[in-house]
């Protein structure tokens, strides 16, 4: 099957290491029948793991009613999901806002960039060194890694600053928006300091820019909260995707305050955004994650301390952790041989983003194996 993949699929990802067949809870089976503990969850997506009964039922029930309507019409799942997202932001101290539903993280950020352009026409869009916001041409323009951005150029006015507070002080009122990730996932799970977050909020207020929190990887319970940034500040615009759909393709923009009124008919659109099956699945995921936030905090704290006791430095929050190791790419391969799916973000960091339902009992063999293979 891998040989066929190589023949028929464009080589955007290199050669996949496994052909996956089915899953249950935190475990997934490949087409050779081998069982793996999934500590990556489709890169922080499969919040409920695999084959969650509530999510499956929501998808099946909605598919039996309506799979799609155009944006000339709306549906109850679309309205209910938007309502729920606004409520969750308010729960964590945010302002009332309005939602736009998209199909992916990059698209959510693309829409947030358009909000910035409407907020301050001609204004610059500032993002952070080490940040990742997606692969579409807009979101790629604010994705820092030169190797993936430079072949495609950059939207004029997009620029990067470092994650030092002093860098914010250089910004003036020609800036329309500042994009941040509360924890820089693709950089290797690197949290922004509370001081930087607070200074970013103050800077955005000083220069009249929108502060956009990209919570695509960190949001929806991944850190044991609905949003990672709300522990310290409130953003004007929040983007979500990944865990929001628990495996169904969805992105969301929550715009608060005056930003909520920037889109008018014609400003933006999406054929599939707000799809009722996807929205119904997201609502089911949110309903289950509501009961998992404490579990995520406790399991994340236990996992962090177990890894530290085993001698591995750990960064991150909840169940989004970066573990410092020697030769991460080698470990990824060796761990996979032993039935554990983990990911390397560079040579010295393993990224762990398991399903939020994972338990200590699931994780104990992982820690033992990592200790054995550390080299
Ligand atoms: C913080 C962040 N923003 C945006 C994206 C892009 O999301 P998508 O791959 O759904 O377009 C990602 C994906 O890894 C991400 O981690």
């Amino acid at each position: 099957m891998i040989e066929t993949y190589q023949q028929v699929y464009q080589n955007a990802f290199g050669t996949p290491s496994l052909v996956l067949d089915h899953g249950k809870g935190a475990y997934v089976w490949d087409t050779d029948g081998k069982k793996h503990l999934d500590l990556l969850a489709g890169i922080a997506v499969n919040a409920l793991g695999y084959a969650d009964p509530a999510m499956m039922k929501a998808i099946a029930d909605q598919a039996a009613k309506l799979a799609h309507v155009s944006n000339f019409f709306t549906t109850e799942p679309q309205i209910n999901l938007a309502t729920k997202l606004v409520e969750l932001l308010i729960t964590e101290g945010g302002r009332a806002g309005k939602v736009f539903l998209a199909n992916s993280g990059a698209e959510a950020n693309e829409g947030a960039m358009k909000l910035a352009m409407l907020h301050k026409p001609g204004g610059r869009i500032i993002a952070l060194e080490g940040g990742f916001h997606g692969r579409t041409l807009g979101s790629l323009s604010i994705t820092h890694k030169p190797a993936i951005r430079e072949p495609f150029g950059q939207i004029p006015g997009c620029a990067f600053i470092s994650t030092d507070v002093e860098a914010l002080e250089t910004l003036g009122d020609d800036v329309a928006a500042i994009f941040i990730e509360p924890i820089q996932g693709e950089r290797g799970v690197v949290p922004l300091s509370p001081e930087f977050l607070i200074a970013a909020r103050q800077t955005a207020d000083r220069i009249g820019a929108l502060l956009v929190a990209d919570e695509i990887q960190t949001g929806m319970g991944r850190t044991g909260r609905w949003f990672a940034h709300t522990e310290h500040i409130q953003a004007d615009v929040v983007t979500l995707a990944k865990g929001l759909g628990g495996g169904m393709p969805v992105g969301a923009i929550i715009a608060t305050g005056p930003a909520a009124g920037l889109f008018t008919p014609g400003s933006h659109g999406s054929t599939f955004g707000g799809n009722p099956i996807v929205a119904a699945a997201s609502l089911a995921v949110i309903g289950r994650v509501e009961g998992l936030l404490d579990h995520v905090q406790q399991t994340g704290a236990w996992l962090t301390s177990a890894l530290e006791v085993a001698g591995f430095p750990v960064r991150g929050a909840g169940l989004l952790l970066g573990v410092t190791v020697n030769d991460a790419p080698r470990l990824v391969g060796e761990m996979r041989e032993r039935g554990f799916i983990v990911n390397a973000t560079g040579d010295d960091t393993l990224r762990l983003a398991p399903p939020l339902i994972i338990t200590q009992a699931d994780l104990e063999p992982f820690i033992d194996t990592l200790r054995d293979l550390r080299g």
Side-chain angles (χ1 to χ4, degrees):
M1 285 178 109
I2 294 281
E3 263 173 40
T4 309
Y5 174 98
Q6 287 171 322
Q7 282 160 16
V8 300
Y9 213 85
Q10 295 182 27
N11 187 26
F13 303 104
T15 303
S17 52
L18 297 171
V19 184
L20 296 177
D21 184 65
H22 66 280
K24 184 75 196 150
Y27 296 88
V28 64
W29 281 259
D30 64 30
T31 45
D32 294 329
K34 184 172 173 187
K35 180 182 180 186
H36 305 259
L37 177 66
D38 188 354
L39 290 122
L40 188 58
I43 316 188
V45 169
N46 302 326
L48 306 180
Y50 297 90
D52 176 76
M55 186 174 158
M56 287 193 304
K57 182 174 183 325
I59 293 169
D61 288 354
Q62 184 57 41
K65 289 171 75 182
L66 281 173
H68 174 78
V69 299
S70 73
N71 290 308
F72 292 118
F73 311 104
T74 185
T75 61
E76 282 183 36
Q78 182 182 25
I79 297 167
N80 291 343
L81 179 58
T83 306
K84 190 72 196 176
L85 291 177
V86 171
E87 275 172 20
L88 293 178
L89 191 59
I90 291 172
T91 313
E92 292 195 355
R95 284 184 295 186
K98 290 188 177 178
V99 171
F100 182 92
L101 292 173
N103 309 287
S104 67
E107 270 186 62
N109 284 333
E110 205 72 29
M113 292 176 79
K114 285 173 80 174
L115 286 178
M117 291 170 174
L118 293 171
H119 169 69
K120 197 181 278 187
R124 296 196 300 144
I125 298 181
I126 301 297
L128 302 182
E129 289 171 6
F132 184 94
H133 298 288
R135 303 276 196 158
T136 56
L137 289 172
S139 61
L140 191 60
S141 292
I142 53 169
T143 287
H144 181 242
K145 199 173 182 182
I148 64 173
R149 173 173 39 79
E150 284 178 351
F152 304 100
Q154 198 180 24
I155 290 180
C158 293
F160 300 97
I161 59 168
S162 81
T163 55
D164 298 328
V165 169
E166 297 73 53
L168 291 162
E169 290 161 10
T170 65
L171 300 180
D173 61 10
D174 60 339
V175 172
I178 306 170
F179 277 69
I180 59 164
E181 291 160 85
I183 301 173
Q184 295 184 304
E186 301 301 303
R187 189 179 209 174
V189 192
V190 180
L192 295 181
S193 68
E195 296 72 35
F196 185 88
L197 290 172
I198 292 164
R201 177 68 273 174
Q202 289 168 346
T203 302
D205 290 340
R206 171 175 63 80
I207 63 181
L210 295 178
L211 183 63
V212 182
D214 176 338
E215 291 264 12
I216 285 161
Q217 191 157 157
T218 49
M220 291 294 108
R222 172 77 22 215
T223 67
R225 308 170 53 83
W226 290 111
F227 307 95
H229 74 284
T230 54
E231 196 177 349
H232 303 290
I233 53 165
Q234 293 299 331
D236 301 301
V237 178
V238 181
T239 55
L240 295 166
K242 287 191 179 276
L244 171 60
M248 295 295 275
V250 62
I253 310 166
I254 316 176
T256 71
L262 288 169
F263 279 164
T264 53
S267 312
H268 200 41
S270 165
T271 292
F272 292 121
N275 175 277
I277 298 180
V278 173
S282 290
L283 282 162
V285 171
I286 291 170
R288 289 270 282 111
V289 171
E290 260 165 353
L292 286 168
L293 295 180
D294 288 346
H295 169 83
V296 171
Q297 282 174 20
Q298 282 155 20
T299 310
W302 177 85
L303 178 58
T304 301
S305 93
L307 287 163
E308 284 172 350
V309 167
F312 298 101
V314 181
R315 312 180 284 274
L319 287 172
L320 180 60
L321 300 176
V323 186
T324 304
V325 294
N326 289 327
D327 200 356
R330 171 189 65 86
L331 269 179
V332 168
E334 292 181 7
M335 291 297 287
R336 189 172 56 245
E337 289 299 308
R338 308 272 188 114
F340 299 96
I341 296 177
V342 292
N343 163 250
T345 56
D347 287 342
D348 63 358
T349 302
L350 288 183
R351 173 174 41 183
L352 307 181
L356 306 184
I357 53 161
I358 205 162
T359 63
Q360 287 185 25
D362 296 322
L363 289 164
E364 271 158 8
F366 158 73
I367 294 167
D368 293 343
T369 309
L370 189 62
R371 202 191 287 117
D372 288 350
L373 292 176
R374 70 189 317 161

